[in-house]
Amino acid sequence: MAEHDAGENATDGMPRKKFSGKKLVLFVILPLVLLIGAGAGVFFSGLLDSLLGKKEEHAEEAHPPEPVGPDPHAAPIFYDLPDMLVNLNSAGKRPAFLKIKISIQVSKGEDIPAIEHVLPRIIDNFQVYLRELRLEDLRGSAGMYRLRQELLLRITAAAHPVKVKDVLFKEMLVQ
């Protein structure tokens, strides 16, 4: 029994074995990562400021800023362009015609006189573009979308300082 006790004392005298890799990750690194993550979450969520008693100054809330753009709840402003009748680019002997009624949406009511001032240029740009279209260019919703985008681009260029929001088709007849 003495030998047995001496054997136990011999192991007690030896230095203990270091943490294995799994135990190191489980008991040291994992809790450290969790604490850092929780601290970052509390910091970025703003809970840390309320817990520490820090108060942010809300000078902006006392005086709300003036709206910069037009009122989003205001009624839209539309301007009807004159009806246009153009012959389309057709390779066949039989001519094809396009009759179109367009309305444009502007940002402000004060822009209407500026649109009327450059109306001949807008109509000319539209006529030149529309005369080069083929019947195939107008087919389907994709054709209508491309036509709307092209007309919007041309009217925006012709009436530059005026902000035109949209081009709307009131009537479109291809014959």
Side-chain angles (χ1 to χ4, degrees):
M1 188 134 203
E3 289 177 19
H4 182 56
D5 288 337
E8 285 180 15
N9 289 340
T11 14
D12 288 342
M14 294 185 68
R16 296 185 119 196
K17 186 176 163 187
K18 292 185 178 182
F19 280 116
S20 68
K22 289 180 184 179
K23 287 183 181 179
L24 180 69
V25 169
L26 186 63
F27 291 115
V28 176
I29 295 175
L30 185 63
L32 188 62
V33 169
L34 289 174
L35 283 175
I36 292 172
V42 168
F43 176 76
F44 288 118
S45 69
L47 292 175
L48 187 63
D49 293 339
S50 64
L51 291 175
L52 294 177
K54 293 183 182 178
K55 294 183 180 178
E56 294 180 15
E57 306 221 359
H58 296 291
E60 293 178 9
E61 289 181 12
H63 302 286
E66 295 290 324
V68 177
D71 185 16
H73 302 293
I77 300 159
F78 298 102
Y79 179 75
D80 292 336
L81 296 178
D83 299 353
M84 287 182 260
L85 179 65
V86 295
N87 57 339
L88 297 173
N89 188 3
S90 60
K93 295 179 183 177
R94 191 173 143 202
F97 293 97
L98 171 68
K99 181 179 179 185
I100 191 165
K101 291 183 182 182
I102 297 174
S103 182
I104 59 172
Q105 182 181 358
V106 292
S107 299
K108 302 178 284 195
E110 298 85 36
D111 293 338
I112 299 287
I115 293 287
E116 289 173 344
H117 184 69
V118 294
L119 190 59
R121 179 175 294 140
I122 292 170
I123 292 174
D124 179 61
N125 285 347
F126 281 10
Q127 291 274 344
V128 169
Y129 175 71
L130 292 172
R131 288 179 62 95
E132 288 300 317
L133 289 177
R134 298 180 311 259
L135 282 173
E136 298 82 36
D137 296 334
L138 298 172
R139 293 188 199 259
S141 61
M144 293 288 288
Y145 179 77
R146 281 192 302 271
L147 178 63
R148 174 176 281 125
Q149 294 304 317
E150 281 293 328
L151 294 179
L152 183 60
L153 179 72
R154 292 172 193 286
I155 198 167
T156 304
H160 171 56
V162 175
K163 175 70 175 142
V164 178
K165 289 184 169 184
D166 203 3
V167 173
L168 306 161
F169 298 119
K170 292 175 75 176
E171 182 180 327
M172 189 166 151
L173 178 68
V174 179
Q175 192 173 13

